[in-house]
Amino acid sequence: MEAAEVGGLPVAVRKEVSGILVPGHHPAAYARMLGRFADVPALSTRMGEAAAVHARAFGWDTAASATVDVYTSAMCQRRRARSLFRPVP
């Protein structure tokens, strides 16, 4: 995978692992990077496999699980804070 190193793309593409990031929108830089894929065919396979693994971090299951973790942590912190300020009988 090849992408411009702008916006959210550097999060979606792990530089030199799941793809190659090109600074800005420079056609000559894109051409050089495409040349790397042509020169080393195994690079596409390796980066494609790494990209598939990395993409799992962006699925709904992962997002839902992370949301549950945040809410659970917030509830636990609130309960701890409330128990600290309760008057002792």
Side-chain angles (χ1 to χ4, degrees):
M1 172 181 221
E2 193 173 316
E5 194 169 13
V6 297
L9 292 174
V11 173
V13 177
R14 293 180 60 214
K15 191 173 188 174
E16 299 295 326
V17 175
S18 63
I20 299 172
L21 293 168
V22 177
H25 298 286
H26 302 287
Y30 274 98
R32 281 193 302 279
M33 293 307 115
L34 288 173
R36 285 181 61 190
F37 287 109
D39 293 341
V40 185
L43 191 61
S44 288
T45 302
R46 181 176 58 81
M47 287 190 175
E49 290 169 354
V53 170
H54 184 57
R56 290 185 194 121
F58 299 100
W60 284 112
D61 290 343
T62 303
S65 178
T67 301
V68 168
D69 291 346
V70 168
Y71 278 102
T72 301
S73 176
M75 287 173 29
C76 289
Q77 288 177 11
R78 174 139 170 90
R79 286 180 184 147
R80 261 186 256 122
R82 287 179 61 189
S83 68
L84 291 175
F85 295 106
R86 285 194 181 144
V88 178

